[in-house]
Amino acid sequence: MSSLASITERRPYNAANDFVDANVSAGRGNKVAFKEGSHTLTYGDLQKDTCRFASGMKALGFGQETRVVLLALDVIEFPVAFWGAIRGGIIPIPLNTLLSAEQYAYMIDDSRASVLLVSEALAKTVEPVLSKMTWLKAVIVIGDKKALSGGKIPVYSFEEVVAKGKPDLFTAPTLSDEVAFWLYSSGSTGAPKGTKHVHSSLIYTAKSYAEQVLGIREDDVVYSAAKLFFAYGLGNAMTFPMSAGATTVLLPSRPTPDSVFEIIKNEQPSLFFGVPTLYAALVADPRAAKGAGSARLRMCVSAGEALPQHVGENWKRQVGVDILDGIGSTEMLHIFLSNRPGEIRYGTSGKAVPGYEAKILDENGKECGTDEIGELVVRGASAAEGYWNQREKSRRTFAGEWTYTGDKYVRDADGFLRCCGRTDDMFKVSGIWVSPFEVESALVSHEAVLEAAVIGHEDSDGLLKPKAYIVLKQGFASNEDLFESLKAHVKDKAGAWKYPRWIDIRTELPKTATGKIQRFKLREEDARTHS
Ligand code: 3UK
């Protein structure tokens, strides 16, 4: 582990040197780093364009320690903006592209970002809140800058900024311990938390998980259905392939079985990354046969939520390639427990990745024995520095060297760790968080709703989706039109994947003496009626 330990020693260091410049020094200047449809970007282009972007930003007055929000689809400009910012010591903050204007307003203001970088296709979504932002000084549109009006805020196109910059090779004088980028992590009470990661964490995840579990290689071709804004996608489709000088295929649109099988057939990836809901849809399709259409496919990875055992087994039988299920988090940056090639136990998250240690603690902080359920706590140097301006939550989550995951886990006699749910009410849908609180808040803002409670209910694949229990206001009747209107309302307010797939109308909801909704009672009732 000596090589991993040296990564975390405090020293002058900028992550762009390891991920961008090292590839050019190694003679890969003409190798394709990213491919998006017919657009390609070589490692040489990436080096030049990131220098130009960082220098163009500086010319506009945005230098080291400025923060920029990156609201972008998986396009070639994403790595240029991300690594250009890192090179310039500017802190990029990628945001989930599936959110609403109010949610963006919260994160833009909370992060005090000076610049918003936005894909043309997402410009209209954020436009209405721009004039209300306290710290924003410029908007940069990836695509046509006329897609949006900034009001008093100047709007540039990405091309303009890159053209303004000089191609001379430089990196801002940053330190390995310095914050390099943030990712927002969802909270159970609604407000997302800016999770601050340092420069050395990216290479730590590449040298541990990507090198020692995936065995990532220069000749790998990577496709991740999980997008770059997600810590999972950021590693899969950027840092891991770049750490080995491999090639990544990007898809800007939504990953559906059609688009995913199409990419696999056309691009012949050797590594594929997805979330359980996608694998469940893919495996039910006749195209989930040998290699799923790629003669090069050597390994598949699942993360974001637990992969149901039957989905993994069916995939292996039909496609002939294993799915490695591993658990990662925004707080730890990437996967820290994983199954290994040749040592897979479907239905579990495997064992600690080299460079990480895991323990399972009971309510008194004592280690649990075999088959005893407790909270999963993990140690590893890629843990975030903390949450931005949320001291209480930082102190609780990042307790010295150990990070509390909020996940309930159990270790079996062979040392495999299995997920048993959460210590809070949160759950994942398609690998992305749903906070019941947030869906309930959206529901009660609908004219017909008096009270609402939301839980995760298992679908036929054993994957959770939101189920809502609702008390209607007087004068409103329960019918299909109302259900459709409630679903549309949640999609609009909270996010497309968060709408309730089932709605149960009640005359009252279980509550504590202080009026807090007891979701656990609804979960117990739900489990009884469906077991
Ligand atoms: C859950 C899993 C069971 C678990 C992520 C890979 O998902 C990622 O990050 P998030 O911050 O969520 C973290 C939480 O998601 N989870 C993730 N993977 C699994 N539960 N089995 C799994 N395989 O509750 C965890 O605490 O969105 C995944 C890499 C980087 C990531 N950030």
Side-chain angles (χ1 to χ4, degrees), residues 185 230-232 302-307 325-331 333-335 349 405 407 409 419 422 428 431 433:
S185 170
F230 194 36
Y232 179 42
S302 173
E305 57 185 312
L307 179 75
D325 185 6
I327 171 176
S329 71
T330 306
E331 285 74 6
L333 188 55
H334 216 277
I335 291 173
S349 309
T405 62
D407 294 307
Y409 262 76
C419 171
R422 291 281 303 170
K428 289 290 196 77
W433 282 120

Side-chain angles (χ1 to χ4, degrees), residues 69 88 96 256 334 430 437 476 499 515:
V69 157
N96 184 334
T256 59
H334 216 277
S430 303
F437 176 80
F476 287 91
Y499 75 92

Side-chain angles (χ1 to χ4, degrees), residues 26-71:
R28 295 187 200 107
N30 291 323
K31 182 168 179 187
V32 172
F34 293 93
K35 185 166 189 293
E36 173 219 330
S38 57
H39 304 289
T40 55
L41 188 78
T42 65
Y43 279 105
D45 297 334
L46 185 62
Q47 187 179 48
K48 276 200 208 73
D49 287 357
T50 51
C51 290
R52 280 186 184 277
F53 178 73
S55 139
M57 289 289 279
K58 213 170 183 176
L60 290 173
F62 306 113
Q64 192 160 354
E65 299 206 16
T66 1
R67 287 185 286 276
V68 306
V69 157
L70 180 54
L71 179 54

Side-chain angles (χ1 to χ4, degrees), residues 1-8 203-204 207-208 212 354-356 381:
M1 215 58 63
S2 65
S3 76
L4 280 180
S6 66
I7 290 174
T8 57
I203 195 71
Y204 193 87
K207 294 277 176 212
S208 52
Q212 300 183 57
Y356 296 88

Side-chain angles (χ1 to χ4, degrees), residues 153-349:
I153 306 170
V155 180
Y156 307 93
S157 72
F158 187 78
E159 263 180 346
E160 263 177 303
V161 178
V162 172
K164 217 183 271 290
K166 298 195 215 64
D168 311 343
L169 184 61
F170 87 104
T171 34
T174 51
L175 296 171
S176 53
D177 278 358
E178 179 170 339
V179 173
F181 62 102
W182 297 10
L183 293 166
Y184 269 90
S185 170
S186 313
S188 53
T189 49
K193 308 177 286 282
T195 310
K196 301 177 287 174
H197 281 286
V198 300
H199 273 265
S200 58
S201 289
L202 293 165
I203 195 71
Y204 193 87
T205 59
K207 294 277 176 212
S208 52
Y209 174 73
E211 202 175 289
Q212 300 183 57
V213 176
L214 296 180
I216 191 131
R217 304 190 304 240
E218 187 177 357
D219 64 353
D220 273 320
V221 175
V222 172
Y223 170 55
S224 169
K227 300 293 182 192
L228 290 167
F229 65 73
F230 194 36
Y232 179 42
L234 191 82
N236 304 342
M238 249 182 16
T239 49
F240 298 169
M242 290 174 76
S243 72
T247 298
T248 299
V249 178
L250 296 174
L251 173 73
S253 61
R254 209 164 69 85
T256 59
D258 279 345
S259 62
V260 169
F261 281 122
E262 185 77 7
I263 285 257
I264 296 179
K265 190 176 78 194
N266 293 342
E267 308 291 349
Q268 299 283 301
S270 56
L271 291 174
F272 173 71
F273 298 83
V275 295
T277 307
L278 178 64
Y279 282 112
L282 295 180
V283 85
D285 189 293
R287 288 168 289 186
K290 185 108 189 75
S294 170
R296 280 199 290 232
L297 194 68
R298 69 174 181 88
M299 195 115 68
C300 297
V301 174
S302 173
E305 57 185 312
L307 179 75
Q309 184 173 346
H310 69 274
V311 175
E313 286 168 355
N314 290 344
W315 181 267
K316 168 74 178 173
R317 185 155 25 83
Q318 292 168 223
V319 176
V321 178
D322 272 313
I323 303 180
L324 297 183
D325 185 6
I327 171 176
S329 71
T330 306
E331 285 74 6
M332 292 306 293
L333 188 55
H334 216 277
I335 291 173
F336 48 86
L337 298 185
S338 180
N339 283 280
R340 308 290 160 83
E343 198 195 351
I344 289 171
R345 186 149 317 171
Y346 284 116
T348 80
S349 309

